[in-house]
């Protein structure tokens, strides 16, 4: 599904290399987790995949179902099936959450040549999905993420994901800032979307999230590369011993 | 004191093109206003109050010229039940207007207030304008009082069931129009006044509004889209105790617009909100000049002005809150912001506070910025196109001003207009 080969990325404005040859393949139906020390390039990878400005790919490739992602505009990537749940969801004063969601859903449907969702159908779907994430009607009416608590913002990201039904879901530290109950809700939201045709890339620092969302594969990223790949036990090792041993071993 | 020669010459040249209407009982007010014009002279480039806006075309003795603009957009407020009063190039059209009959309000043309002996009108014409000449001079308003050829006197005694809609059509490419309206809202009465249309090639308009204790006036205005038209407008509003004045203006294009609001809160617990949203392109120049005087206890004033500027357009905001001695518990708020869609456009702001009371809460802020890249990326990452995302963020920027309109039907009509502009321009 998602294939990243030898991806090198530097900042556009500075001579700073952040990704130094990332190789990673996420198969449809699988959940891959990425762990790694602060500043190792995890968020950068997620931004580059979703098309944020400010980065320059100097080498390598990234494709979704064989299509070159790096050539596409962010909205084209979204329509192709990429979704990023942001580490820091953005507040947008003046734009209603509901309006935003509906515009996004219909823009993607239109881009794929599908009919727009009627207002009534949309409303029904949003309400049901919001309810299961314990997002109340008031939050749907408010401006996007404005005045939301940290946990509410993260749940709002998962609501968007549920509405957009992307093929490739990238979750950047969606667990940070969540209380224990909210983490369960979010994990349930993610598990509800697990499907043979859908891939997940879950960036996290903690084993806790992975208790709820069982990964198939765990990668360790350090200094702009994937330095180790293994099964769920790798996450436990990190939880218990930190990164020192793993980093020593690969160096 | 003698005027500078340039100003003297320009003023004389302009006056030579004008004839004072022979309007019975307003004659004295008009003569007084003319005397004020002669004393002040018309605005010039060196005047501090005109530092950011060149008054040249607004005062020139030459005949103005502005091409007519034909739009295929549906008429603004078209489906709304309202009492229509139509002016074509600044001249009342009985044919196009509705009957001026509506329960709770009396409407007359200014030229009829004398023969009908309408006392309140005779006592208001030119009065608030004259009061508004200090501490800052507004010669174009005095010029209007002296020479306005038409206008209506609206006396609100109850709560009319529908808005009164002043419609200003532009029909001649060389029209040079002056309108002067006066409005008196009696105690406990409430009215909505709408204004829309480009009016004329050059338009000078003045409204004097006197709101008695407990009266309420809502005002929603949309200035017409004709690109080459220029306009100078003044609204002088005096508020009595517990009265309410809420005014919103949308300006979409027009090469030069100067909108002045002069507001005096003279009764305790009064509320005045003025807001404006403007979107402009190219040689568009838009100036909001507001002067709010708090002269009573526990009054609230709010100024919310938002400008979207593109392709070298210019936006100006001069806003002042004056809190007089004794005007305790004043709550004054002022914000002016611009969204610059490119590097060529500019926003010039001069916010001012002058406070002579100690127990007041006043705040003001002014900012200028571009579209927020992070927000833009966030929207695009969800599949929204750059164009739609930019439009959403632009409307969101204007929302704080548009939200000042209380009536949802009216605010929707305004949002539609803005969406129209965005779809044509971004
Ligand atoms: N726009 C930028 N300007 C300057 N430095 C940047 C920029 N973007 C990323 N970096 C740098 O690149 C490195 C990788 O950052 P990134 O955010 O991808 O790390 P991360 O692995 O997500 O870390 P964390 O676990 O703390 O979220 C860091 O050193 C960061 O400071
Ligand atoms: Mg990160």
């Amino acid at each position: 599904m998602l294939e990243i080969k030898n991806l090198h990325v530097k900042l556009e404005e500075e001579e700073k290399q952040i990704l130094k040859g990332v190789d990673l393949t996420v198969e449809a139906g699988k959940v891959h987790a990425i762990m790694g020390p602060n500043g190792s390039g995890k968020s950068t990878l997620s931004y580059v995949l979703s098309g944020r400005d400010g980065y320059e790919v100097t080498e390598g490739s990234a494709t979704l179902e064989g299509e070159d992602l790096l050539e596409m505009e962010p909205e084209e990537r979204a329509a192709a099936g990429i979704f990023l749940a942001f580490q820091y969801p953005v507040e947008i004063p003046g734009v209603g959450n509901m309006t935003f969601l509906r515009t996004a859903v219909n823009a993607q449907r239109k881009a794929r040549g599908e009919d727009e969702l009627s207002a009534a159908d949309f409303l029904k779907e949003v309400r049901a999905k919001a309810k299961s994430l314990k997002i109340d009607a008031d939050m749907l009416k408010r401006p996007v993420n404005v005045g939301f608590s940290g946990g509410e913002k993260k749940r709002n990201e998962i609501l968007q994901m549920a509405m957009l039904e992307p093929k490739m879901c990238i979750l950047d530290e969606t667990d940070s800032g969540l209380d224990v109950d909210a983490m369960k809700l979010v994990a349930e939201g993610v598990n509800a979307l697990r499907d043979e045709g859908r891939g997940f890339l879950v960036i996290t620092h903690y084993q806790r999230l992975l208790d709820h969302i069982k990964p198939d594969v765990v990668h360790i990223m350090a200094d702009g590369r994937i330095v180790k790949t293994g099964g769920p036990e790798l996450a436990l090792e990190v939880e218990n011993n930190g990164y020192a041993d793993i980093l020593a071993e690969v160096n | 004191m003698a005027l500078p020669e340039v100003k003297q010459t320009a003023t004389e040249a302009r006056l030579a093109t004008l004839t004072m209407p022979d309007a019975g009982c307003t004659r004295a007010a008009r003569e007084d206003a003319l005397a004020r014009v002669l004393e002040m002279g018309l605005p010039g480039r060196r005047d501090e109050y005109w530092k950011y806006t060149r008054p040249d075309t607004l005062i020139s003795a030459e005949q103005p010229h502005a091409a007519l603009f034909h739009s295929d957009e549906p008429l603004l407020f078209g489906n709304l039940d309202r009492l229509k009063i139509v002016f074509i190039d600044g001249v009342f059209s009985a044919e196009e207007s509705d009957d001026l009959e509506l329960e709770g309000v009396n409407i007359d043309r200014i030229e009829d207030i004398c023969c009908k002996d309408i006392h309140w009108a005779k006592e208001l014409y030119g009065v608030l304008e004259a009061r508004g000449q200090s501490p800052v001079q507004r010669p174009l308003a005095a010029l209007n009082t002296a020479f306005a050829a038409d206008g209506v006197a609206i006396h609100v005694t109850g709560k009319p069931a529908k808005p009164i809609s002043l419609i200003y059509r532009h029909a001649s490419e060389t029209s040079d129009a002056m309108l002067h309206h006066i409005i008196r809202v009696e105690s406990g009465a409430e009215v909505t006044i709408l204004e829309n249309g480009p009016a004329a090639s050059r338009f000078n308009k003045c409204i004097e509004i006197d709101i008695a204790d407990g009266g309420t006036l809502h005002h929603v205005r949309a200035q017409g889209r004709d690109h080459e038209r220029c306009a100078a407008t003044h609204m002088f509003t005096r508020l009595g105790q517990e009265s309410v004045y809420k005014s919103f203006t949308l300006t979409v294009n027009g090469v030069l617009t100067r909108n002045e609001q002069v507001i005096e809160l003279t009764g305790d617990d009064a509320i005045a909100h003025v807001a404006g949203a403007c979107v402009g392109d190219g040689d568009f120049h838009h100036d909001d000049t507001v002067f709010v005087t708090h002269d009573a206890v526990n009054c609230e004033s709010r100024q919310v002005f938002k400008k979207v500027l593109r392709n070298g357009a210019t936006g100006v905001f001069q806003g002042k809150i004056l809190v007089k001695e004794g005007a305790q518990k004043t709550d004054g708020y002022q914000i002016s912001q611009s969204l610059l869609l490119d590097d060529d456009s500019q926003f010039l702001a001069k916010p001012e506070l002058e406070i002579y009371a100690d127990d007041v809460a006043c705040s003001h802020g002014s900012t200028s910025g571009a579209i927020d890249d992070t927000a833009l990326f966030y929207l695009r990452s969800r599949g929204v196109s750059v164009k739609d995302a930019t439009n959403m963020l632009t409307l969101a920027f204007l929302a704080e001003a548009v939200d000042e309109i209380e009536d949802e039907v009216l605010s929707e009509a305004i949002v539609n207009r803005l969406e129209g502009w965005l779809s044509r321009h971004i």
Side-chain angles (χ1 to χ4, degrees):
Chain A
M1 162 139 301
L2 177 68
E3 235 179 303
I4 303 166
K5 283 190 189 145
N6 193 29
L7 192 65
H8 285 70
V9 171
K10 69 181 262 300
L11 290 177
E12 216 166 49
E13 306 267 300
E14 302 170 36
E15 285 311 312
K16 180 170 177 178
Q17 197 74 30
I18 301 175
L19 300 184
K20 303 173 180 172
V22 174
D23 285 291
L24 179 67
T25 301
V26 180
E27 309 80 10
K30 299 286 190 228
V31 174
H32 286 231
I34 299 189
M35 303 180 84
N38 293 133
S40 55
K42 304 181 296 298
S43 292
T44 302
L45 176 64
S46 72
Y47 286 142
V48 170
L49 292 174
S50 49
R52 189 176 188 147
D53 281 345
Y55 304 101
E56 191 186 323
V57 175
T58 50
E59 216 183 315
S61 66
T63 58
L64 184 73
E65 293 183 313
E67 279 188 82
D68 184 359
L69 282 176
L70 304 179
E71 282 298 304
M72 297 183 207
E73 296 295 328
E75 56 270 32
E76 294 170 336
R77 301 182 197 206
I82 291 275
F83 179 90
L84 168 63
F86 283 56
Q87 181 172 1
Y88 306 107
V90 182
E91 296 190 7
I92 311 186
V95 175
N97 214 5
M98 202 74 138
T99 314
F100 164 51
L101 262 176
R102 195 148 86 100
T103 310
V105 168
N106 283 332
Q108 292 201 17
R109 292 178 77 103
K110 210 171 133 198
R112 292 191 220 108
E114 300 163 12
D115 282 342
E116 293 194 356
L117 215 54
S118 78
D121 288 345
F122 171 81
L123 216 65
K124 225 169 94 187
E125 212 180 309
V126 168
R127 288 211 177 115
K129 287 180 171 160
K131 201 173 159 207
S132 68
L133 286 161
K134 296 224 164 76
I135 291 173
D136 60 30
D138 178 54
M139 258 171 76
L140 290 175
K141 279 189 217 133
R142 274 156 59 187
V144 180
N145 293 325
V146 177
F148 287 25
S149 74
E152 287 169 344
K153 285 182 184 167
K154 296 302 179 78
R155 276 185 276 151
N156 200 31
E157 294 290 287
I158 301 302
L159 174 64
Q160 292 169 28
M161 188 169 88
M163 289 302 298
L164 294 167
E165 300 183 336
K167 286 183 193 151
M168 182 66 223
C169 307
I170 305 167
L171 284 75
D172 191 359
E173 291 194 32
T174 302
D175 52 339
S176 63
L178 292 179
D179 65 38
V180 181
D181 297 326
M183 170 128 36
K184 268 193 201 146
L185 280 177
V186 162
E188 279 164 22
V190 171
N191 289 330
L193 281 172
R194 284 181 83 155
D195 176 293
E196 284 188 358
R198 187 170 285 133
F200 287 88
L201 192 57
V202 179
I203 298 169
T204 182
H205 286 296
Y206 306 106
Q207 163 65 27
R208 224 167 3 153
L209 180 71
L210 303 179
D211 285 340
H212 300 291
I213 307 172
K214 299 253 170 344
D216 299 292
V217 184
V218 175
H219 307 274
I220 307 297
M221 186 168 211
D223 193 24
R225 278 188 208 93
I226 302 290
V227 294
K228 188 164 182 179
T229 296
E233 72 287 348
L234 194 50
L236 278 173
E237 194 186 325
V238 169
E239 181 89 354
N240 295 331
N241 307 329
Y243 294 107
D245 293 352
I246 298 172
L247 295 185
E249 175 190 328
V250 296
N251 287 332
Chain B
M1 206 175 69
L3 295 173
E5 202 183 318
V6 184
K7 195 178 264 257
Q8 181 79 32
T9 314
T11 304
E12 278 168 10
R14 175 61 174 143
L15 288 174
T17 66
L18 296 165
T19 347
M20 191 177 289
D22 180 25
C25 63
T26 58
R27 188 78 197 187
R30 290 174 186 272
E31 297 283 2
D32 285 352
L34 176 57
R36 286 195 288 279
V37 175
L38 290 168
E39 198 194 316
M40 297 185 275
L42 290 175
R45 252 187 250 177
R46 289 170 190 274
D47 297 1
E48 181 64 21
Y49 216 43
W50 290 85
K51 193 170 162 186
Y52 303 124
T53 298
R54 289 175 69 152
D56 305 34
T57 52
L58 294 171
I59 66 157
S60 106
E62 271 165 52
Q63 199 169 42
H65 184 276
L68 301 178
F69 178 78
H70 298 285
S71 155
D72 45 13
E73 273 185 307
L75 291 174
L76 185 65
F77 309 134
N79 297 322
L80 196 75
D81 187 21
R82 58 197 166 133
L83 185 125
K84 295 200 280 279
I85 305 177
V86 180
F87 297 87
I88 300 171
D89 289 324
V91 181
F92 174 75
S93 163
E95 219 165 275
E96 302 279 329
S97 301
D98 292 334
D99 267 347
L100 304 184
E101 294 296 323
L102 183 63
E103 205 178 313
V105 63
N106 289 304
I107 304 168
D108 289 281
R109 288 178 72 184
I110 290 287
E111 61 177 39
D112 294 333
I113 62 177
C114 302
C115 57
K116 291 192 180 169
D117 205 18
I118 301 171
H119 289 285
W120 71 268
K122 288 194 272 181
E123 282 156 22
L124 184 55
Y125 191 92
V127 171
L128 296 184
E129 174 265 301
R131 281 176 75 92
Q133 295 296 347
S134 106
V136 191
Q137 298 184 338
R138 307 170 199 282
L140 285 170
L143 186 77
N144 180 295
T145 300
F147 295 100
D150 217 326
V152 283
I154 300 175
H155 190 205
V156 189
T157 51
K159 297 187 175 177
K162 51 185 173 184
I164 294 163
S165 180
L166 302 164
I167 299 164
Y168 306 128
R169 294 211 193 120
H170 179 197
S172 151
E173 295 196 340
T174 54
S175 53
D176 191 3
M178 280 196 216
L179 283 178
H180 194 113
H181 308 306
I182 49 178
I183 303 174
R184 161 101 184 155
V185 181
E186 290 300 342
S187 194
E190 178 166 359
V191 72
T192 298
I193 305 285
L194 307 176
E195 295 185 277
N196 73 293
S201 302
R202 175 165 65 190
F203 191 37
N204 178 333
K205 190 200 60 181
C206 181
I207 309 186
E208 295 176 282
I209 301 171
D210 196 12
I211 310 178
D213 296 351
T216 298
L217 186 138
H218 295 274
H219 170 245
V220 176
R221 154 168 72 166
Q223 292 176 302
R225 258 176 63 191
D226 296 26
H227 298 283
E228 296 169 2
R229 63 125 187 98
C230 64
T233 76
H234 290 82
M235 298 186 77
F236 296 93
T237 308
R238 177 168 63 189
L239 287 99
Q241 200 174 323
E242 289 178 27
S243 66
V244 177
Y245 170 60
K246 293 193 175 174
S247 169
F248 171 88
T249 300
L250 168 74
T251 311
V252 178
N253 286 355
V255 72
L256 174 61
T257 307
R258 161 97 161 198
N259 292 329
E260 296 196 26
Q261 290 258 8
V262 184
I263 295 166
E264 212 183 339
L265 297 135
T266 60
D268 296 348
D269 306 306
I271 295 174
H273 292 186
V274 281
C278 85
V279 290
D281 200 41
D283 49 9
F284 173 91
H285 181 108
H286 189 277
D287 175 337
D288 279 301
T289 291
V290 182
F291 199 111
V292 179
T293 305
H294 281 262
D295 196 10
V297 173
N298 199 33
C299 291
E300 173 192 314
S301 72
R302 222 178 126 76
Q303 303 171 41
V304 181
F305 288 89
K306 301 264 187 163
K307 297 174 197 281
V308 175
L309 305 167
R310 181 181 176 271
N311 260 339
T314 303
V316 174
F317 175 77
Q318 305 189 99
K320 178 157 183 171
I321 305 175
L322 169 65
V323 181
K324 288 201 173 171
E325 210 179 313
Q328 302 297 7
K329 305 238 175 310
T330 286
D331 177 0
Y333 173 79
Q334 179 196 86
I335 186 145
S336 63
Q337 295 181 312
S338 76
L339 176 64
L340 306 177
L341 294 177
D342 52 49
D343 295 337
D344 300 334
S345 303
Q346 59 170 346
F347 179 55
L348 306 159
K350 190 179 176 197
E352 283 179 286
L353 292 175
E354 196 176 325
I355 301 175
Y356 297 100
D358 47 24
D359 182 14
V360 300
C362 282
S363 65
H364 65 104
S366 183
T367 63
S368 200
I371 288 270
D372 177 357
D373 280 341
T374 313
L376 191 67
F377 172 63
Y378 189 67
L379 294 173
R380 293 178 72 191
S381 78
R382 300 306 184 238
V384 183
S385 69
V386 187
K387 182 171 184 254
D388 289 347
T390 306
N391 286 356
M392 278 174 101
L393 294 174
T394 305
L395 282 176
F397 166 79
L398 293 168
E400 190 187 356
V402 178
D403 286 348
E404 291 288 320
I405 305 172
E406 280 184 17
D407 185 304
E408 264 178 41
V409 175
L410 296 177
S411 67
E412 251 170 57
I414 296 296
V415 169
N416 281 341
R417 271 311 203 248
L418 286 167
E419 284 172 343
W421 186 84
L422 291 169
S423 68
R424 292 188 300 275
H425 284 87
I426 289 181

